[in-house]
Amino acid sequence: MAEDLEKTIKKVILDTRVEREHLLEILWSVQRSERKIDHNAIKLISKLTGISTLDIEATASFYHFFTEEHAGDITIHLNDSGTSYLAGATEVENAFKRELGIKFGEVTQDQRFGLFFTSCIGMCDQEPAALINDVVFTNLTDSKIASIISQLKSGIAIEKIIGEGEGNNALELIKSEISNNIRNSGEVFFNDKYVKGEALKNALTKSGDEIIAEVKSSGLRGRGGAGFSAGLKWEFCKKNIGDHYVIANIDEGEPGTFKDRILLTQYPQQIFEGMTIAALAIGAERGIIYLRAEYKYLKNYLENCLEEMRKANLLGEKIQSSSFNFDISIKIGAGAYICGEESALIESAEGKRGEPRNRPPFPVEKGFLGNPTVVNNPETFAAVTSIFREGADWFAALGTKESTGTKLFSISGDCERPGVYEFQFGITVEEVLKEVGAKNTFAIQIGGPSGKLISQKFFSRKICFEDLPTGGALTIFDNHRDLLKMVKLYMDFFVEESCGFCIPCRAGNVLLQKTLTKILDKKGTKQDIELLQECSSVMKIASRCGLGLSSSNPVTSSFENFPEIYDNLLSKESFVSTFDMSQAVAESCKYVNRENTFNQEGSHE
Amino acid sequence: MANKPIVATASLAGCFGCHMSLLDIDERILDLIQLVEFDKSPITDIKNFERKCDIGIIEGGCCNSENVENLKLFRKNCNILVSLGECAIMGGLPAMRNGIPIQECLEEAYLNGVTVDVGDEPIIPNDEELPMILDRVYPCHEVVKIDYHIPGCAPNADLIWDFLTTLVTGKDLELKYETLKYD
């Protein structure tokens, strides 16, 4: 066994050269073959790589998909995000438990199956969804699970069980049962105007500064959510000295967001070409695709696309017979929402724990391996490709003055046609709702959990950076949904995903989650509302990165726009105790064999 | 004399450090007893509540059923209830066991720990008179309503003095930066 493991690790090392940045790859190879990364494996990796055992353990323990205990030969990860519950995840959860005879977080006695929860896997338009050994299963139902599990038990390979996917998902290299759900056509992304290499050839006639000037004049803002000017970011990066890097941030982990998945499936060349143009502008020779582990099913397909581009001399050495060299490699994450924060992503790409760095210095100054690095959303890179095909003026004429171009929207929740839409910036919320077939809409979570929960009074507002900014995720709730429960689910997510480095985020999210539970149990008082507000405001000031700075948004925005969902549940008393004596002594009574005669209040029955 | 506010104190799952800190107000204790009258408290050794008190001061959180009963008794008999120090406010050092199963805690303390006398046959104490240990250490405000929280481990004597004198004289207490920052 140990020899096999050594072979497995050595194979990765041979493929990649032993450098710290490949640690995640090595850990993945061990997790995949051994179904766990225990201390023996860590000692072996340490021996073969020279990285200390403590360092390896610290890194492995950070990521959700790496486990110290055996995770089952077949590891099931069911998405437990809010949208999953809207679509009926509770039924699916029970079906898994029934079919396998174990609870979530457990492994069957014969170690064949492991059952776990995971955060949003980017399938919000086809929930409930689960990953089974990296294979995505969508639109799960009770009977579908019964069938899947019985087939797996009879030894049928996972790949043979899945249904047929839509569009490129049906390709041999992807072979997933996922639907793209592209719901409209658009000027920038959803059309067939793309001709491979056209934009890059155009860019190759310009100098770096000219390219940057063109991106600036197009008004393109980063598509991740913050909306920082892409041209300006490139300009800052170019000015700094070092080996420049270009990174595409495909750690699309914000629950409710899945548009990058569609870009990657249908239009990956446009992303790669945009990255190449960025590299040409700032003088980079190496690009990295940081792909979230949940999208690993796309890796072979993307590798193949890159290979085709190399063959067409759009990547590699002396691109289009110029002196420009650039190539792109793919790095896979291991399950950590925080790695969507650019400095955490860089740490993770370097093979370390995905903890955010102190900023400044920003990545444009000291990014990957301490070098000037541009990190952009894949949608930003794809937009760049269209700009160098159609021109900056064309792009700037789309959308609004401050928010040019079109935006991809991930639409999920209560509507007839969930999926991905391309709209020009400036579209009103109302227009979006009409387009997607949403009826009796009561609230919308705009921009994912770290965005805002908006009410009907916002529906006439325009979606753009001048008015209602968003990274493009809209989760729609109609009037029969329990909003406060959704808010609590969002807080469950942040409690799970906080990296734990700084106290405001580590403790604050837990306090918010516990207080919401108390209110949902009708034990909340006015004091608890004050605690929610106080705690949120501390987190917004004192957290170390964007996660903690924005994770209280579901609470603050729901309180601002839907105060009644709190008021209706509040107790009139000034204090309601959540303490239950009978429950608190149950464990010790059981252990010492004493009868538990306490009631909830603490008197003897 | 009759109008002096009546103060009661108790130490639950604490180390008595907060009470020591109260005594650290030194000779000001003479001024304090001009202002208030102590009733049930380890300082007076009065064991039972015979009358309603104005201010109850609690050191320590709740680690067993008796702590809870005691705390509830204080809440019933005191108009104002104060959590004094880290353990009462957050569970403090005793809360380090939170997250460890009871069985493991008891076995470590009474059977396997390095300080267990190996000469005897070690047992887990289980006399009927003994209170039951709780699944975790609870801060006081999760069990009853707490009106004021005085931070510190232990809160320093000046803070306790300032708090009690401002409370009985009806002034506002200003928490200085140093009283909240410890590193």
Side-chain angles (χ1 to χ4, degrees), chain A residues 331-509:
Chain A
K331 279 182 180 286
I332 308 275
Y337 164 74
I338 185 65
C339 291
E341 196 279 341
E342 58 179 4
S343 66
L345 178 143
I346 290 169
E347 285 285 302
S348 178
E350 289 180 3
K352 301 182 200 151
R353 287 167 68 85
E355 277 170 4
R357 293 175 177 172
N358 285 331
R359 303 188 317 166
F362 288 90
V364 287
E365 203 179 322
K366 286 193 187 320
F368 188 69
L369 303 174
N371 290 298
T373 306
V374 157
V375 183
N376 271 136
N377 189 274
E379 188 185 334
T380 314
F381 288 124
V384 166
T385 304
S386 76
I387 290 167
F388 281 85
R389 197 184 58 225
E390 310 279 339
D393 295 342
W394 163 82
F395 191 85
L398 299 167
T400 65
K401 191 164 172 285
E402 298 291 323
S403 316
T404 56
T406 62
K407 176 84 196 78
L408 293 182
F409 285 74
S410 313
I411 308 286
S412 62
D414 298 320
C415 64
E416 278 166 18
R417 294 177 294 281
V420 180
Y421 292 77
E422 179 175 349
F423 295 128
Q424 288 194 32
F425 271 118
I427 189 169
T428 64
V429 178
E430 233 154 23
E431 286 165 332
V432 173
L433 289 175
K434 202 175 149 213
E435 202 67 29
V436 306
K439 292 194 182 88
N440 304 320
T441 303
F442 180 57
I444 302 170
Q445 184 71 35
I446 182 163
S450 63
K452 278 196 161 91
L453 190 64
I454 59 168
S455 61
Q456 283 159 359
K457 70 172 185 224
F458 288 80
F459 289 3
S460 58
R461 301 268 297 268
K462 287 181 174 163
I463 301 177
C464 56
F465 290 98
E466 303 93 304
D467 194 359
L468 203 57
T470 175
L474 265 70
T475 308
I476 302 166
F477 306 108
D478 69 20
N479 51 16
H480 77 281
R481 297 295 183 184
D482 184 346
L483 268 195
L484 200 57
K485 215 167 169 182
M486 292 308 303
V487 174
K488 199 246 162 192
L489 281 172
Y490 285 143
M491 292 323 297
D492 291 347
F493 169 76
F494 286 124
V495 167
E496 182 64 34
E497 296 297 337
S498 166
C499 84
F501 191 103
C502 72
I503 294 169
C505 177
R506 183 177 70 224
N509 284 312

Side-chain angles (χ1 to χ4, degrees), chain A residues 514 527 574-575 577-581 583-585 587-589 591-594 598 600-602 604, chain B residues 65 68-69 72 101-103 106-107 124 126-128 130 132-135 138 141-145:
Chain A
K514 282 194 169 172
Q527 260 191 331
S574 65
F575 179 84
S577 176
T578 51
F579 180 77
D580 180 340
M581 179 83 104
Q583 211 183 328
V585 299
E587 201 183 334
S588 58
C589 282
Y591 180 57
V592 298
N593 253 329
R594 213 195 281 192
F598 287 102
Q600 193 178 334
E601 277 72 42
H604 294 279
Chain B
S65 54
V68 175
E69 283 157 9
K72 288 190 168 179
I102 293 292
Q103 182 172 348
L106 291 173
E107 286 176 0
I124 306 272
N126 187 23
D127 191 277
E128 268 180 35
L130 291 174
M132 296 310 295
I133 194 163
L134 306 180
D135 56 346
Y138 291 78
H141 64 267
E142 280 190 27
V143 179
V144 299
K145 183 176 185 342

Side-chain angles (χ1 to χ4, degrees), chain A residues 188-189 199-200 203 211 214-215 218 220 223 230-231 234 270-271 273-279 281 376-392 394-395:
Chain A
V188 179
F189 307 101
L200 179 59
I211 294 172
E214 187 140 352
V215 174
S218 75
L220 176 67
R223 262 39 182 175
W234 295 11
Q270 297 189 43
I271 301 170
E273 206 169 317
M275 288 174 75
T276 313
I277 295 169
N376 271 136
N377 189 274
E379 188 185 334
T380 314
F381 288 124
V384 166
T385 304
S386 76
I387 290 167
F388 281 85
R389 197 184 58 225
E390 310 279 339
W394 163 82
F395 191 85

